[in-house]
Amino acid sequence: MTKTFQIKSFGCQMNVYDGERMAELLGAEGMVAAAPGADADVVVLNTCHIREKAAEKAYSEVGRLRRDDGSRPVIALAGCVAQAEGAEAKRRSKAIDLVVGPQAYHRLPQLLREVEAGARPVDTDLPPLDKFAALPARRRAGISAFLSVQEGCDKFCTYCVVPYTRGAEVSRPLGDLLIEAEQLVAGGTRELTLLGQNVNAWEDGSETLATLIRRLATLQGLERIRYTTSHPINMADDLIAAHRDVPELMPYLHLPVQAGSDRILKAMNRHHSADDYLRTLDRVRAARPDIAISGDFIVGFPGESDEDFEATLSIVRTVGYASAFTFKYSARPGTPAATMDGQLPEAVKDERLQRLQALVAEQSRAFNLSKVGAETRILIDRVGRKPGQMIGKSPWLQSVFVDSDARIGEMVDVRLTAALPNSLAGEVVTDSQEAA
Ligand code: 5AD
Ligand code: SF4
């Protein structure tokens, strides 16, 4: 009988991408995805290790896979918790059959065969790019697809586990990326989001992320290009110029600053000051005035004073974010910040997080409101709940609800008519000449 699998991905978009590739890999082995809600023979938990209790959450997920009759599927622990825990995972949970890290999952079929033969293999090697060559070609693709172009991180921000779980910064070769992008577009993809922990550090010889974007923009059928996540110190002039010159490159930039105080930025080992960041954004906005800026913030980093936190609120006010992700600092074992003096009580972190979130919500509402009345194009990516309603993405990554008979994957010209809490309403514009 055909074996079924289920892949549960947690955390970042890189994990979503890895999860899709694992699904393709198991599909190529003759396995099929289990129907939603149905039992699977093999479950892959593609875990995230970025914040607290990540490992505990992963183990409780494992526990939940036990079936009513006491049996359980073959359980593979994958992703960053797998990388961080390694063989320890097998000791902590008898139910885990195999452990596979983010750079080794191309060996999943082999590891499953070892499980069948009675072993409990652990593969947390970090060979930088081997997996890509070993994975099957891309076929069926979503309207909006991820393409992993760069992995790992050499920046060593003092709070972050990524350099330890994803290894050193490596860029995939240009040729491989062009082939994968062509396969995705041939499979129906209209929008590509280039992924990397430091995506704007991507390079291949003299090629940069900007030249990669310019090449991808020439692919017939590819309408939109995005990239995430960027580091402020890699925001090169040519990439900024691409925001001015390449129409396919969407006016959206996720550029985390993490904090507004220079003292904290230094303790975080960010390699930039608040002012450096603001000047970078000035350059970006000079090239593309309407660009939506998004960011990540950590509140309650060790030693963060009230004054330091005020500096974070102040930089948020200066920038005016379209959206932002806010996190309470969480000590990650093995990172330098975990043993720094001045670890703050939860209550302080909670209070700061609330204040920051309120400010970000206000800004994001203001950003959405500023677009009401604008004419633009959306890429339809979902069917709405109401009859005749479709949902698409604006260039600024907002969800837009519209009554339209357009199908998923089509571009529709709309006028934005109202700002809702987390989205916009729009109406179809028939005279497409007017749309920007
Ligand atoms: N505590 C809180 N937030 C963290 N991030 C990374 N490490 C930590 C940590 N130890 C946040 C950063 C990063 C995002 C992906 O997660 O803001 O940009
Ligand atoms: Fe982590 Fe900093 Fe690297 Fe981002 S840049 S992955 S926050 S170490």
Side-chain angles (χ1 to χ4, degrees), residues 22 128 142 210 365 385:
M22 285 190 247
R365 258 195 315 273
R385 274 209 209 115

Side-chain angles (χ1 to χ4, degrees), residues 50-51 159 258 296 298 327-330 332:
I50 200 101
R51 273 170 294 274
Y159 49 81
Q258 312 292 359
D296 290 345
I298 297 176
F327 307 103
K328 275 194 287 185
Y329 169 72
S330 135
R332 311 306 295 126

